[in-house]
């Protein structure tokens, strides 16, 4: 939220000079660590949860499957030394404040935190939050959240007798001092209204400051969401305004028309063994119209895996190259850049166009360059295919960069998009994404772009069947894989890359590779992972592409873009570790040919509940439905994390999935923009 226009300077006051901060050096440093420099920062430091301290939960008499909030008195404390790794354990026995005749008690346990024995003592009152479990014959809570309550009870209205905020902390900043600080700031905060564009209906008669107070101290738990939505609306309108401004700036930056005559495009399409789908033709026309006007294109081409985005990129490239400008195509991995390079050579060499490959490890500027003999060819621009090495200043564009195409945009950020576009003057930009993100999120992430959608799969695709099995059924899966190999098909066997440990994943894939060589004896098995030397990767990948390698054991390096239509089977190990969208992306590697395809999700037998989560992949191959479900399961924060959006930090990112709210924000931003022009 910006602290702008009518807002009182109260919010901009540095905490240091606000008069609200105690002179505690550790706390000051802790606040800095939390990024809280001004009064406004502190007021926007939102609780991670709330505790209802008007009604505490019943004192537990058994283990529970969720956390409880209790008001208790400490009756006994002791420090114990365990066996094994010499664990030091601090235990506090607690009873309900209003002890009943039942004599219920509970043990709080902390391991290896010696200072607690100095903090907690018999007779104290605590508010605690944690999940009770059965431990032997006792009921225990390990490492509960707790606060020591003043014994004279509900004196301080910041901490007791109401719904109370619980904040994210940093070392040096305790829960109570931070709550006290924010409570005081809230009380001192002057009343201020929403900006004048804020719809009356959405405001519901409340002011901005009232809603901010509610976020910290709601009268009821139910009051939280409406307050969050109001403040989120303001934040989202600011975001949309920035996006619209960026778009207007690009449009206003001038530039030139870069639409060729279309002759090259016609010849290209005539040579293709198939004709474009309706969706492809429509997208090509939309791009052509963008190129025809003298301001740069900023377009997103969104289409599910296998929908044929590369063809559309080729069409855009041809139009621009024909107009005499160079084109750059950027892919997120070397593997994919190389695949594009070979596709485009196949497509463009008959048209006698120059193509080159530029990746991190190699510079094939001359090696793979076809000699161009015909002198008039130099009228046309060159296509450079590459990885992010493209914008590291290594690429030169003799005729000037006219079009930047970015494949699998979700693997890059806005900054990289802009860096690539910055290599030329008023560069036309086409970004492509196969992550079918929900429409709402598109609006927030790509709100500055025009959108073309490929919602039609090319014809002649075999059906894709997905099944969820347990890893213990590997023998059956291997049997099935052999049968596919016998019939001349190829298969992928995928092992997850666990984020913490790429090494582990490579280890798992390498070990699995040896096993699969045995299981699939008589067939050629290849291994592919991200840490292999590029030449080695090339060799394996081209062997697979040409059908000499029958089965490919791989980490998720194959996730994006790889296109081998004869591969029809994919076994994905530990599918439970992946998000839905990523699994959908992975299985997009198969189902690209005429053959019926099979994706087997092998899950950990210890985690049977994951089969419920993955069920939708058996039911549908509609990427957008899967994206919606992914959003529902993981929330926008997670989904956006994998989309590397270049979004600014948002306080209310978790509400980005709220379609109505985001659409309203867009509408308001548009009307603000219209008023200003
Ligand atoms: P993605 O959108 O996932 O990047 P690709 O561009 O790799 O998809 O296309 C997937 C496959 O479909 C490729 O083998 C491509 O040659 C083929 N293809 C693309 N368009 C058509 C079409 N109109 N008809 C038939 N096959 C097509
Ligand atoms: Mg692609």
């Amino acid at each position: 939220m910006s602290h702008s226009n009518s807002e009182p300077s109260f919010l901009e006051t540095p905490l240091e000079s606000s008069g609200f901060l105690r002179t505690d050096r550790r706390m000051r440093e802790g606040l800095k660590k939390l990024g809280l420099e001004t009064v406004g920062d502190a007021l926007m430091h939102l609780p991670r949860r709330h505790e209802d301290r008007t009604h505490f939960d019943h004192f537990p008499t058994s283990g529970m499957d969720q956390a409880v909030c209790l008001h208790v008195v400490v009756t006994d404390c002791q420090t114990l030394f365990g066996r094994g790794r010499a664990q030091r354990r601090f235990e506090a026995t607690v009873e309900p404040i209003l002890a009943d005749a039942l004599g219920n008690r509970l043990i709080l346990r902390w391991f290896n935190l010696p200072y607690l024995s100095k903090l907690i003592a018999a007779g104290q009152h605590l508010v605690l939050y944690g999940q009770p479990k059965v431990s032997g014959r006792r009921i225990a809570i390990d490492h509960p959240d707790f606060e020591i309550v003043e014994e004279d009870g509900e004196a301080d209205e910041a901490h007791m007798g109401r719904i109370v905020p619980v904040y994210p902390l940093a070392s040096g900043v305790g829960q109570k001092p931070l709550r006290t600080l924010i409570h005081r700031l809230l009380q001192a905060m002057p009343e201020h209204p929403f900006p004048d564009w804020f719809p009356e209906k959405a405001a519901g008669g409340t002011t901005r400051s009232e809603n901010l107070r509610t976020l910290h101290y709601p009268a009821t738990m139910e009051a939280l969401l409406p307050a969050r939505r109001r403040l989120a609306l303001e934040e989202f309108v600011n975001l949309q305004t920035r996006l619209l401004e960026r778009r207007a700036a690009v449009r206003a930056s001038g530039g030139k028309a870069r639409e060729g005559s279309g002759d090259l495009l016609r010849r290209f399409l005539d040579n293709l063994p198939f004709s474009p789908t309706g969706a492809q033709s429509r997208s090509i026309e939309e791009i052509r119209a963008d190129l025809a006007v003298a301001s740069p294109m900023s377009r997103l081409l969104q289409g599910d895996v296998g929908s044929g985005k590369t063809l559309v990129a080729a069409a855009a490239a041809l139009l621009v190259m024909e107009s005499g400008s160079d084109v750059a195509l950027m892919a997120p991995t070397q593997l994919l850049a190389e695949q594009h390079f070979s596709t485009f050579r196949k497509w463009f060499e008959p048209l006698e166009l120059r193509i080159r490959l530029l990746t991190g490890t190699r510079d094939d500027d001359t090696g793979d360059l076809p000699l161009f003999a015909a002198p008039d060819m130099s009228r046309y621009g060159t296509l450079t295919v590459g990885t992010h090495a493209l914008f590291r200043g290594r690429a030169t564009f003799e005729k000037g960069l006219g079009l930047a195409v970015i494949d699998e945009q979700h693997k890059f950020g806005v900054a990289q998009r802009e860096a690539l576009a910055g290599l030329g003057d008023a560069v036309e930009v086409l970004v492509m994404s196969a992550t079918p993100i929900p429409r709402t999120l598109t609006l927030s992430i790509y709100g500055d772009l025009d959108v073309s959608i490929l919602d039609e799969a090319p014809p002649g695709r075999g059906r894709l069947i997905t099944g969820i099995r347990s890893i213990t059924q590997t023998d059956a899966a291997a049997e099935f894989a052999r049968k596919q190999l016998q019939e001349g098909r190829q298969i992928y066997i995928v092992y997850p890359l666990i984020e913490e440990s790429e090494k582990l994943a490579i280890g798992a894939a390498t070990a699995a590779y040896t096993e699969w060589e045995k299981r699939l004896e008589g067939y050629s098995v290849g291994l592919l992972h991200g840490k292999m030397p590029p030449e080695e990767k090339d060799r394996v990948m081209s062997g697979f592409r040409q059908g000499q390698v029958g089965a490919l054991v791989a980490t998720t390096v194959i996730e994006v873009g790889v296109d081998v239509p004869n591969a029809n089977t994919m076994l994905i190990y530990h599918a439970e570790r992946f998000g839905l969208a990523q699994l959908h992306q992975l299985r997009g590697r198969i189902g690209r040919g005429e053959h019926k395809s099979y994706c087997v999700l092998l899950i950990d037998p210890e985690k049977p509940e994951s089969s419920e989560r993955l069920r939708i992949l058996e039911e549908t191959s509609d990427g957008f439905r899967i994206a919606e479900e992914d959003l529902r399961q993981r929330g926008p924060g997670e989904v956006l994390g994998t989309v590397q959006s270049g979004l600014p930090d948002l306080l209310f990112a978790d509400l980005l999935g709220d379609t109505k709210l985001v659409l309203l924000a867009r509408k308001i931003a548009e009307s603000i923009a219209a008023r200003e022009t």
Side-chain angles (χ1 to χ4, degrees):
M1 210 173 313
S2 74
H3 309 160
S4 59
N5 48 40
S6 62
E7 203 142 298
S9 62
F10 177 68
L11 296 185
E12 266 115 58
T13 315
L15 280 174
E16 293 277 352
S17 54
S18 67
F20 289 95
L21 206 53
R22 293 184 312 178
T23 51
D24 171 344
R25 191 179 53 83
R26 288 198 60 224
M27 173 138 176
R28 284 165 193 270
E29 280 165 9
L31 290 173
K32 286 223 174 69
K33 241 178 277 161
L34 288 170
L36 310 184
E37 308 260 354
T38 64
V39 168
D41 293 341
L43 289 175
M44 304 303 168
H45 188 62
L46 300 183
R48 61 185 164 87
R49 61 184 177 86
H50 286 87
E51 271 178 20
D52 186 344
R53 295 187 180 174
T54 54
H55 305 94
F56 290 98
D57 289 312
H58 286 297
F59 201 84
T61 51
S62 64
M64 315 225 0
D65 50 17
Q66 64 196 38
V68 291
C69 184
L70 305 173
H71 194 187
V72 299
V73 58
V74 179
T75 56
D76 188 26
C77 291
Q78 56 180 335
T79 299
L80 300 150
F81 295 91
R83 278 160 284 128
R85 278 180 292 132
Q87 268 195 339
R88 181 186 173 130
R89 186 165 94 217
F90 175 70
E91 284 192 0
T93 307
V94 298
E95 288 179 0
I97 288 281
L98 303 170
D100 44 27
L102 300 173
N104 288 326
R105 53 181 52 136
L106 190 64
I107 313 295
L108 312 180
R109 297 190 296 203
W110 287 271
F111 298 92
N112 297 323
L113 291 175
Y115 70 90
L116 281 168
S117 57
K118 299 201 181 70
L119 218 60
I120 296 178
Q124 278 173 343
H125 288 193
L126 305 180
V127 169
L128 64 91
Y129 180 83
Q131 188 179 337
K133 61 179 189 189
V134 177
S135 170
R137 294 167 60 194
R138 310 185 301 179
I139 298 165
I141 301 183
D142 290 338
H143 290 251
D145 265 10
F146 75 97
E147 259 174 64
I148 299 164
V149 182
E150 310 311 326
E151 264 137 85
D152 53 11
E154 342 287 76
D156 195 340
E157 60 163 357
H159 309 291
M160 286 302 284
R162 63 195 300 187
I163 296 175
V164 166
V166 179
Y167 296 104
L169 301 176
S171 72
V173 187
Q175 191 61 249
K176 267 171 81 176
L178 181 59
R179 193 185 295 127
T180 304
L181 171 68
I182 293 178
H183 187 257
R184 287 190 193 144
L185 293 174
L186 283 168
Q187 288 192 314
M189 174 174 65
E191 256 332 288
H192 50 98
F194 280 114
D196 52 8
W197 50 256
F198 202 92
E200 238 168 78
K201 191 166 157 236
T206 61
T207 64
R208 187 165 183 252
S209 35
E210 275 169 44
N211 284 291
L212 194 50
R213 270 192 204 99
T214 300
L215 286 198
H216 293 273
Y217 287 96
T220 62
M221 291 290 193
E222 289 69 41
L224 270 174
L225 184 61
R228 287 171 52 78
R229 289 187 86 235
R230 288 186 193 114
L231 294 175
L233 180 61
E234 187 180 4
E235 184 176 59
F236 294 174
V237 170
N238 290 335
L239 170 68
Q240 289 298 335
T241 299
R242 277 201 297 281
L243 289 167
L244 291 176
E245 279 167 5
R246 182 145 77 198
R247 173 160 138 158
V250 168
R251 292 226 172 123
S253 69
K256 46 181 178 175
R258 289 202 177 89
E259 185 204 21
S261 69
D263 185 43
L264 282 179
L265 176 56
R266 243 185 320 277
R267 279 166 58 203
F268 165 66
L269 292 176
D270 286 347
N271 289 346
L272 270 184
F274 46 76
S275 37
T277 63
Q280 283 170 326
S281 299
R282 196 179 51 214
S283 302
I284 293 172
E285 283 317 307
E286 285 163 357
I287 289 167
R288 193 199 276 254
D290 285 351
L291 295 177
V293 296
S295 67
M297 163 167 82
S298 323
R299 185 167 287 277
L300 166 69
L301 178 64
Q302 210 181 10
D304 211 339
V305 280
S307 59
K309 293 183 288 297
T310 318
L311 175 80
V312 177
L318 287 172
L319 289 168
V320 171
M321 288 162 81
E322 190 171 47
S323 80
S325 290
D326 291 329
V327 174
L329 172 76
M330 181 164 72
T333 62
Q334 181 161 340
L335 202 66
L336 192 51
E338 282 165 9
Q339 178 184 287
H340 277 320
F341 181 59
S342 77
T343 305
F344 278 87
R345 276 177 76 170
K346 197 174 72 203
W347 282 348
F348 284 11
E349 276 179 8
L351 305 172
E352 296 178 64
L353 295 167
R354 268 170 61 113
I355 311 169
R356 52 183 191 166
L357 177 67
L358 197 139
T359 63
T361 51
R362 284 204 315 232
D363 190 343
D364 288 333
D365 208 334
T366 49
D368 287 43
L369 252 174
L371 292 175
F372 54 107
D376 65 340
M377 278 305 124
S378 59
R379 283 192 289 126
Y380 298 142
T382 299
L383 171 66
T384 307
V385 178
T387 56
H388 50 277
L390 276 173
F391 59 75
R392 288 213 193 114
R394 298 183 52 203
T396 49
F397 301 101
E398 279 154 36
K399 293 200 166 58
L401 182 62
L403 168 69
V405 182
I406 299 165
D407 195 15
E408 311 290 348
Q409 154 73 28
H410 61 286
K411 295 278 169 181
F412 298 104
V414 176
Q416 284 156 311
R417 191 211 296 171
E418 283 173 351
L420 188 57
L423 296 178
D425 240 7
V427 174
E428 323 270 349
V429 174
L430 178 66
V431 304
M432 310 202 285
S433 177
T435 331
I437 40 180
R439 179 173 143 63
T440 328
L441 288 189
T442 307
L443 207 52
S444 301
I445 303 171
Y446 300 121
D448 55 335
L449 304 178
D450 299 308
V451 182
S452 294
I453 294 182
L454 293 184
D455 50 6
E456 185 183 344
R461 296 275 166 84
R463 237 156 64 76
L464 175 90
I465 295 165
T466 297
I468 301 168
R469 300 285 183 278
S470 161
I471 287 175
T472 54
Q473 290 165 284
T474 287
D475 284 345
E479 195 49 46
F480 182 78
R482 279 190 79 88
K483 224 178 82 212
Q484 295 303 319
L485 288 168
Q486 253 157 39
E487 285 174 23
R489 301 289 79 74
Q490 289 166 279
I491 64 176
Y492 295 100
I493 303 163
V494 184
Y495 286 81
L497 193 95
I498 317 154
E499 218 169 294
E500 311 73 85
S501 173
E502 192 178 357
K503 261 213 200 103
L504 270 185
I506 291 169
T510 310
Y513 167 64
T514 328
E515 280 172 36
W516 280 102
E517 272 197 308
K518 273 187 236 137
R519 280 191 201 116
L520 302 176
E521 214 194 314
Y523 296 94
S524 161
V525 180
L527 172 67
L528 190 73
H529 61 68
K531 284 282 145 71
M532 278 162 46
E535 309 80 55
E536 179 84 9
K537 254 194 268 182
D538 274 8
R539 203 177 47 71
V540 175
M541 206 51 223
S542 72
F544 191 67
R545 214 170 268 139
Q546 286 156 23
Q548 291 137 3
V549 174
L552 193 61
V553 177
T555 58
T556 49
V557 286
I558 56 146
E559 179 191 346
V560 289
V562 173
D563 184 38
V564 180
N566 188 49
N568 79 325
T569 302
M570 179 177 281
L571 312 181
I572 304 177
Y573 274 80
H574 287 287
E576 77 278 355
R577 293 192 193 154
F578 295 97
L580 291 177
Q582 199 188 6
L583 288 169
H584 180 64
Q585 184 96 19
L586 268 172
R587 73 174 173 179
R589 302 308 111 219
I590 56 172
R592 301 187 150 234
E594 76 228 74
H595 310 285
K596 202 161 167 182
S597 294
Y598 306 92
C599 174
V600 187
L601 305 174
L602 293 150
I603 59 173
D604 188 335
E606 309 272 297
K607 302 197 178 94
E609 69 284 356
S610 47
S611 93
E612 239 358 90
R613 184 173 74 79
L614 302 179
R615 185 77 59 209
I616 188 169
L617 291 168
E618 288 186 333
E619 285 162 12
T620 182
S621 54
D622 178 342
F624 284 93
R625 260 193 67 197
I626 290 164
E628 300 285 353
E629 177 62 21
D630 199 34
L631 180 65
R632 210 184 54 75
Q633 285 183 7
R634 294 195 297 157
E638 284 288 307
V639 173
L640 288 173
T642 53
V643 175
Q644 266 215 22
S645 55
L647 269 183
D649 280 344
L650 296 174
L651 271 178
F652 302 100
D654 61 316
L655 287 178
L656 280 177
D658 189 328
T659 309
K660 261 170 118 174
L661 196 64
V662 174
L663 287 178
L664 177 59
R666 177 70 165 201
K667 235 180 68 196
I668 295 170
E670 277 166 357
S671 71
I672 294 173
R675 233 189 302 155
E676 279 168 6
T677 49

